[in-house]
Amino acid sequence: MSWSAVAPGRFQRTIGENETFIKLVGDPGHLLNREHWAINAVASFTPRGSLAQQDLPVLFARVWKILRFHHPSIAAYATDDKTLEYTVPDGAALDQWTAETFDVVTEKTADDLIHDFKPSPYAMLILLPQSNQILFHTAHWRTDGVGILLLIDAFLDLAVSPMLPDPDSLAWGQEVPRLAPAVESAAGMPTMPTDAIKSIAQGYAETFYQASDAIGIPYKGNASTIPSGTRSTHLTFDATETLGIVDQCRMRGFSVSSALHASVAAANRALALKDNKQKHYTSTIRFSLRPYLPKPYSTPAYASGLYTTGWMKTIPASASWVDHAKAYNEEYRKGLNDEYINSHRQYALALGELIRNMPQGGDPPSDVDISSIGIAEKLIARFKGSSDMGLEVQSVSVGVEILTRQCVCLVWTFRNQLNLNLVYNASFHDEGDTTEFLHSVKRILLHELAMQD
């Protein structure tokens, strides 16, 4: 799965097994001119010093070109279901790519843009000058929640550089070694699986069958309702509440992610229809593979790579909130081991077969899952440059596009504040429902941590 030249200036590699699985999830939405699980991130910033006087649309278009030189995979594209391609640009091609992938929007909000997004062969960056925001959008096979924040961090670093080069003067062609490999190649996963590897992979793949007949929240429409665009509802804990949550979780011996996971599970049950409240809750245990990769693939230099994994965890209806928190904490605490990583190629293949042979019929799942980004300051710095020319990142947000009745609650901390972002499809849920869900998560979390009656 290494990149190789197929013609002068044209390079290709085979799409990896993990990328194939994500494409199998996302690409069916193309029939509706949408893409399930496409990933978006927004950063709000305040320019400082001379940056506040600059023509940001002109500057950011230039920075976007330079970012491609550092992270060329943002311009790689799928030619079919099996192949990725990258073309080294000349000046005209670079301008054309920029025209297709960089935009300045003054008439819409980031939320409205996300709702209206269509599939794109490349990553995209949009500047919203009215609100001093940038919106990064890409297919999920190209990166993950960690990677997209690292890409924004790299972009903003370039934006405050006092010695920004002319993009046309860069040594185009020398960016090719920086094209991201598939995770299977980056990790050196075995290509010839042993019986033990096959057994481990199949065991993890079978956890997805546990999602059958799981609890979910009510939704609008019926089996024939066509999905529309993605919306999101946001909730931020203030710094005092966040510090209290961290302290209370530490005292109880589990992580904030575990406590939030337990609270999302409890909110699913609280809002479920009466006849469904005794069903089990099944959700995803997610990990970044980046810390487990060798250098340089574990570093921000390979932000534009899909290096994420996860499996399903079922908790019965009879379990208490504390039982949930302890169970999730045990999963998060143990992390990933060599046996799991070595089996991941086969695991992704098995998941692909599962997607291709999904059973038909039955009630569609409508649970709210969770995905934790962690401490976002580890990925994107608050302050960039200097007081003479710099910026301050005020907030960040991460989400995925959703075409099903399911929702995802993304979780991170930034500027000492805990953030929840619930993404949902507007055909099946609305702002009132999702606001109620997040308020339920907050009430449950604070109550169980003895911070609220």
Side-chain angles (χ1 to χ4, degrees):
M1 295 180 192
S2 299
W3 290 90
S4 59
V6 295
R10 284 180 55 220
F11 297 82
Q12 292 184 346
R13 73 162 169 85
T14 302
I15 296 175
E17 288 84 354
N18 206 35
E19 294 162 339
T20 296
F21 162 60
I22 295 297
K23 281 179 64 62
L24 285 168
V25 172
D27 286 4
H30 293 181
L31 293 172
L32 299 172
N33 207 17
R34 299 189 182 275
E35 185 162 350
H36 191 48
W37 279 9
I39 187 165
N40 304 293
V42 179
S44 301
F45 62 93
T46 302
R48 304 295 188 198
S50 62
L51 187 66
Q53 310 305 318
Q54 294 218 27
D55 186 336
L56 291 187
V58 172
L59 173 64
F60 280 16
R62 185 179 179 186
V63 171
W64 182 236
K65 292 178 180 181
I66 298 170
L67 186 73
R68 171 176 173 166
F69 185 74
H70 291 281
H71 296 274
S73 289
I74 65 174
Y77 57 95
T79 60
D80 53 35
D81 292 339
K82 296 182 179 179
T83 306
L84 295 183
E85 184 165 310
Y86 177 79
T87 302
V88 176
D90 59 17
L94 186 61
D95 288 342
Q96 180 61 34
W97 172 80
T98 303
E100 293 178 12
T101 60
F102 176 78
D103 201 2
V104 180
V105 175
T106 59
E107 302 297 323
K108 291 185 176 182
T109 65
D111 285 346
D112 289 337
L113 288 167
I114 291 169
H115 177 273
D116 295 341
F117 270 144
K118 310 302 181 188
S120 170
Y122 311 112
M124 297 177 64
L125 188 82
I126 299 171
L127 169 65
L128 295 94
Q130 308 287 73
S131 55
N132 279 339
Q133 292 178 309
I134 53 172
L135 166 58
F136 199 115
H137 166 78
T138 177
H140 201 347
W141 58 258
R142 186 178 281 108
T143 191
D144 45 52
V146 170
I148 199 167
L149 290 181
L150 290 172
L151 286 166
I152 290 179
D153 188 62
F155 178 90
L156 295 177
D157 276 341
L158 290 168
V160 300
S161 173
M163 301 293 290
L164 203 61
D166 179 350
D168 290 334
S169 72
L170 297 172
W172 291 100
Q174 293 185 12
E175 79 276 18
V176 171
R178 293 189 288 274
L179 287 165
V183 71
E184 293 81 11
S185 295
M189 297 174 188
T191 56
M192 299 296 292
T194 63
D195 289 343
I197 283 175
K198 291 179 182 179
S199 177
I200 292 169
Q202 189 60 33
Y204 279 102
E206 288 178 357
T207 66
F208 281 74
Y209 291 111
Q210 298 170 6
S212 176
D213 201 34
I215 199 169
I217 62 174
Y219 55 87
K220 300 183 295 181
N222 53 40
S224 64
T225 302
I226 296 174
S228 57
T230 298
R231 293 288 186 187
S232 63
T233 302
H234 199 90
L235 187 152
T236 301
F237 294 79
D238 65 36
T240 300
E241 288 174 323
T242 301
L243 180 59
I245 291 166
V246 171
D247 288 343
Q248 291 297 323
C249 287
R250 186 182 295 117
M251 287 171 54
R252 288 163 171 78
F254 45 69
S255 67
V256 173
S257 293
S258 303
L260 278 167
H261 203 150
S263 300
V264 168
N268 271 271
R269 196 165 308 285
L271 297 180
L273 296 174
K274 183 178 179 180
D275 292 344
N276 295 334
K277 287 185 181 292
Q278 293 309 308
K279 292 183 176 182
H280 62 85
Y281 175 67
T282 296
S283 56
T284 313
I285 302 294
R286 302 178 198 271
F287 281 95
S288 174
L289 285 162
R290 295 175 187 272
Y292 301 90
L293 299 178
K295 291 183 177 180
Y297 309 117
S298 60
T299 71
Y302 286 86
S304 187
L306 179 69
Y307 301 149
T308 188
T309 187
W311 58 87
M312 306 303 286
K313 175 75 174 179
T314 295
I315 303 288
S318 58
S320 67
W321 184 91
V322 172
D323 291 335
H324 275 77
K326 289 181 176 179
Y328 295 134
N329 195 67
E330 178 60 23
E331 294 285 330
Y332 292 130
R333 184 194 61 80
K334 68 185 181 184
L336 307 179
N337 56 32
D338 290 343
E339 288 77 13
Y340 177 85
I341 293 170
N342 286 335
S343 71
H344 203 276
R345 186 192 299 269
Q346 287 300 121
Y347 176 34
L349 284 169
L351 290 179
E353 287 305 304
L354 187 152
I355 295 295
R356 292 184 183 96
N357 299 284
M358 288 287 287
Q360 301 300 311
D363 294 332
S366 63
D367 59 279
V368 180
D369 204 346
I370 185 171
S371 179
S372 178
I373 305 297
I375 301 172
E377 276 97 341
K378 292 182 178 180
L379 310 173
I380 181 168
R382 294 189 202 180
F383 299 98
K384 299 286 186 183
S386 65
S387 58
D388 292 332
M389 180 178 175
L391 59 83
E392 182 177 354
V393 181
Q394 302 293 351
S395 66
V396 296
S397 181
V398 182
V400 293
E401 292 169 39
I402 299 290
L403 298 185
T404 67
R405 292 150 185 83
Q406 292 171 294
C407 310
V408 180
C409 183
L410 291 103
V411 179
W412 67 93
T413 57
F414 190 71
R415 301 182 72 98
N416 302 317
Q417 292 181 296
L418 179 61
N419 292 266
L420 310 181
N421 189 38
L422 185 62
V423 292
Y424 62 93
N425 191 276
S427 285
F428 306 118
H429 304 280
D430 58 35
E431 186 177 4
D433 299 334
T434 52
T435 298
E436 181 183 4
F437 186 92
L438 290 183
H439 286 170
S440 180
V441 171
K442 182 176 182 177
R443 284 194 303 269
I444 292 165
L445 177 66
L446 296 181
H447 172 75
E448 294 293 342
L449 295 177
M451 295 175 63
Q452 179 177 290
D453 292 337

